[in-house]
């Protein structure tokens, strides 16, 4: 019998009319995700025992809903994140009624990945913020010239925002070219830090064409950026992993283009896995998502899944920050504090511009989440 | 007023309860996909006219279903495929009821991309197959040693299969390491070509970790592989584009992990765009998908969309081959011929192994699609 450490496990939620149908789907996954070949034509005992997936558990969770735990041999994933994702959900992403719910990776698979370079503790240490929720915001709108974005970055940082990131749509447009923007914003945020005595960080968006990603990250590091913003759905999850491995900069994961995995509860990838476990395997230190209460559609339960996935034990892979975003307002900060507690980065964007003086509004936001009284 | 060439257009299918609601969604897309900032706070006339998306057309297509044509300024996409995809469907992928139906790209945006290096005509010329459907198959199952895979490749090629690809799950597993496999299979297919006088091509799977993709493609080219297999959902669409630009090898696009974009008709990306227009922008010469009649769930209409997207006029971007796959059998070849005609690559895998001698079965397949009588 196989050693448990030689395998990793994936829990799938299956929609099926009864137990027998669910068992057939689970069995089909074992074949489709490994050999992708008619099972009856494979006689080789090595392939049958060492390559086929195997159903470890199958339980009925609700009407027409089943949870299947499937075990895959470590070697099938080849110590590659790309191939691991392929095994989890490559071909079966095309079928209806299958959702990846949870990963239980073996020590061997986990040891293939360094995970987040900083994680929660590392990012808190960088920011010198030991015991409070962190704050983030975005430089936007697209179309502003660099001087305006840098000025805005300075005001945000003076107001006590910890992380000031490029909007994920700022790449290298003619109105705000990458190099000019990153130099100006890095300098503006550093200057504010000297003024406040804090250590705010500017995160440059390095989501870019494949031959430019590493080059932009090097430029950002050398220009003094404090972190990188990466849309893993646009550049590939493993490109984010490579950035984490190659640069000593924290990484913010943006979910652009990835929404289709989570919009249907009966298909795709759970919030827990996509924003938590996958983001961590791919080196993100913090994971942005549209929180309940904003202008998108994630539910309380979806958000709870993300919080859990960001923190669940994954051996050597550090826990990371959930980053609720997507239409937060100063008004709903108290409700968000209740829900998320302190291990969170609150990302608030356009709404900061609704209250007059930007630096003063940021300071109010900071005081609210730090549990201090507003100073003015 | 703006010059039409300064913009590109995207058609979205919207689910909305009435016209007013659809108009609100369309307007929201114009803001969300560009400035992502409260519209009322943006006074700058440049940003309002040059950066905001604009609804060009909105029509009711069916009950609670609307088609919105939205125009974006070329500069927003920054001549980058990653940012173009972000504009098309970045944040709104997270919302329900929005589906990308069709792209109408401006000459300027199209000129940012070289597209497929070969396309239909180029691939036919390589294969010396001017006027018939092409044939493809896959090396599998995972778990076989290299010597068996190479032997199988030889038999396939002797039987007249044009394109022999790695199964998309063969990456660099210990049972069939990449370099050893690619050398042996390239040689086996070349040897068969010398025997038959044809020019079959072996496509090596270069889906790999981000720092290995280009290295594996170089190795494959130098080892004599005739093409590359790329799972763009695993490595990122722009990595496939870079491979097409950097190597003079045809590219087969595999849809692993991308299914969630097409499983729900009211959300995601149309088959026409994903397997046709996006694949072409990203340099694929041929686009694999699970055909109707196989073991997956694409409908006749879905498949028709792919055929159309693979061939629709995109200016300088070449038309490509649709590659129906996913459980084809020799028995359903006639029905597939009727539907797909000759501008197609039929991909048949495990079923070839059901009929005794492999080379002879392949020859039967070849004769069926070439409209010739079986020779033996």
């Amino acid at each position: 019998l196989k050693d448990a450490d030689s395998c990793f496990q994936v829990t799938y939620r299956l929609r099926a009319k009864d137990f027998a149908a669910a068992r057939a789907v689970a069995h089909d996954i074992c074949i489709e995700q490994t050999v992708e070949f008619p099972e009856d034509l494979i006689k080789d005992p090595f392939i049958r025992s060492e390559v086929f997936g195997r159903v470890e558990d199958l339980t009925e969770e609700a009407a027409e809903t089943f949870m299947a735990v499937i075990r895959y041999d470590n070697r099938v994933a080849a110590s590659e994140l790309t191939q691991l994702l392929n095994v989890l959900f490559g071909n079966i992403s095309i079928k209806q009624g299958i959702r990846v719910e949870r990963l239980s990776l073996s020590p061997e698979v986990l040891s293939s990945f360094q995970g987040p370079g900083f994680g929660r503790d590392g990012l808190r240490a960088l920011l010198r913020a030991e015991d409070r929720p962190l704050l983030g915001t975005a430089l936007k709108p697209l179309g502003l010239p660099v001087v305006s974005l840098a000025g805005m970055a300075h005001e945000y940082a003076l107001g006590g925002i910890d992380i000031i990131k490029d909007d994920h749509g700022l790449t290298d447009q003619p109105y705000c070219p990458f190099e000019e923007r990153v130099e100006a914003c890095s300098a503006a945020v550093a200057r504010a830090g000297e003024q406040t005595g804090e250590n705010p960080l500017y995160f440059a968006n390095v989501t870019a064409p494949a031959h430019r990603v590493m080059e932009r990250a090097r430029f950002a590091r050398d220009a003094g950026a404090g972190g990188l913003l990466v849309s893993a759905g646009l550049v590939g999850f493993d490109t984010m992993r490579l950035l984490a491995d190659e640069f000593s900069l924290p990484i913010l994961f943006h979910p652009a283009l990835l929404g289709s995995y989570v919009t249907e509860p009966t298909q795709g990838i759970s919030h827990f896995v996509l924003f938590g476990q996958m983001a961590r395997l791919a080196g993100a230190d913090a994971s942005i998502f549209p929180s309940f209460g904003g202008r998108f559609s994630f539910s309380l339960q979806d958000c709870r899944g993300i919080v859990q996935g960001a923190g669940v034990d994954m051996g050597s892979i550090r826990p990371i920050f959930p980053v609720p975003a997507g239409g937060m307002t100063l008004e709903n900060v108290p409700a968000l504090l209740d829900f998320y507690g302190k291990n969170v980065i609150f990302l608030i964007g356009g709404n900061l511009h609704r209250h007059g003086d930007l630096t003063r509004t940021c300071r109010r936001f900071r005081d609210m989440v730090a549990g201090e009284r507003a100073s003015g």
Side-chain angles (χ1 to χ4, degrees), chain A:
Chain A
L1 272 175
K2 299 192 63 155
D3 176 0
D5 282 355
S6 69
C7 295
F8 60 96
Q9 294 186 331
V10 183
T11 304
Y12 297 97
R13 182 189 301 264
L14 310 178
R15 193 179 48 191
K17 66 181 196 319
D18 57 27
F19 199 85
R23 193 163 45 205
V25 172
H27 184 74
D28 177 62
I29 292 173
C30 294
I31 302 300
E32 185 71 49
Q33 295 304 96
T34 56
V35 291
E36 201 197 332
F37 200 83
E39 184 188 352
D40 62 300
L41 295 180
I42 300 179
K43 312 294 183 198
D44 185 331
F46 173 81
I47 297 179
R48 296 187 71 92
S49 76
E50 305 294 312
V51 182
F52 282 13
R54 179 179 294 197
V55 182
E56 287 288 291
D57 194 36
L58 180 64
T59 52
E60 185 162 7
E61 202 207 33
E64 304 197 353
T65 304
F66 297 81
M67 299 295 263
V69 179
I70 293 180
R71 179 176 102 169
Y72 299 104
D73 188 282
N74 294 337
R75 286 167 290 182
V76 173
S79 303
E80 299 171 339
L81 184 58
T82 39
Q83 173 61 4
L84 178 62
L85 297 180
N86 183 43
V87 176
L88 299 180
F89 202 53
N91 269 7
I92 55 172
S93 71
I94 305 171
K95 301 194 176 187
Q96 283 163 324
I98 302 174
R99 188 182 194 234
V100 178
E101 279 295 321
R102 173 181 285 261
L103 314 180
S104 298
L105 302 176
S106 59
E108 184 183 325
V109 169
L110 287 171
S111 74
S112 306
F113 307 109
Q114 297 183 42
F118 294 82
R120 289 183 192 167
D121 292 346
L123 199 48
R124 284 194 179 282
L126 275 183
L127 290 163
R128 298 189 229 120
E130 304 276 302
D131 198 41
R132 60 171 173 83
L134 302 177
L135 302 179
T137 190
L139 298 171
K140 53 187 178 180
L142 179 66
L144 286 182
V146 165
V147 63
S148 303
L149 294 170
M152 190 185 290
H154 184 248
E155 291 182 73
Y156 282 145
L158 275 188
I161 305 291
D162 299 293
I163 290 175
I164 295 126
K165 72 170 186 72
D166 285 334
D167 189 34
H168 78 288
L170 304 187
T171 64
D172 192 32
Q173 287 86 356
Y175 2 92
C176 54
F178 178 81
E179 298 194 354
E180 190 190 327
R181 179 179 82 244
V182 170
E183 279 184 336
C185 294
S186 297
V189 170
R191 189 157 46 85
E194 285 163 20
Q195 292 170 266
T196 61
E198 299 184 321
N199 195 32
L201 301 175
Y202 163 63
F203 279 57
N205 181 21
V206 297
T207 305
H211 60 301
R212 297 275 184 232
V213 174
M214 301 307 282
E215 170 186 311
R216 289 199 190 159
R218 273 191 295 275
F219 185 91
R221 179 197 57 198
D222 295 346
L228 305 174
L229 177 77
V230 184
S231 297
L234 298 172
V235 297
F237 272 85
D238 198 70
T239 296
M240 184 161 78
R241 189 274 314 157
L242 183 60
L243 286 163
D245 288 357
E246 294 285 313
F247 294 93
S248 294
L249 290 172
I251 289 184
L252 254 178
F253 160 51
H254 191 283
L257 200 67
L258 295 172
S260 296
Y261 293 107
V262 296
T263 44
E264 293 295 329
T266 59
Q267 208 278 342
I269 302 175
S270 71
H271 297 77
F272 177 91
V273 170
L274 183 67
F275 292 91
Q277 293 185 300
M278 271 172 65
R280 289 164 70 186
L281 282 175
D285 297 286
S287 185
I288 300 173
F289 63 95
S291 182
F292 71 90
R295 68 185 188 280
F296 291 84
S297 54
F298 283 8
S299 69
L300 271 177
Q301 190 186 333
D302 296 339
C303 296
R304 192 169 295 123
I306 294 170
V307 170
Q308 290 169 347
V312 69
D313 180 29
M314 289 178 76
S316 55
I317 308 290
R318 295 182 171 94
I320 65 173
F321 283 107
V323 188
M328 289 185 61
T329 64
L330 283 170
E331 290 70 26
N332 63 14
V333 164
L336 294 165
L337 273 173
D338 272 354
F339 183 82
Y340 290 105
K342 72 177 183 185
N343 280 321
V344 65
I345 303 174
F346 288 115
L347 191 67
I348 185 166
N351 189 265
L352 287 174
H353 295 258
R354 286 213 179 278
H355 305 269
D357 181 83
L358 189 57
T359 296
R360 202 179 162 94
T361 307
C362 292
R363 187 56 64 181
R364 221 177 105 208
F365 181 31
R366 166 75 175 264
D367 290 345
M368 285 176 81
V369 304
E372 298 157 25
R373 300 218 24 215
S375 57

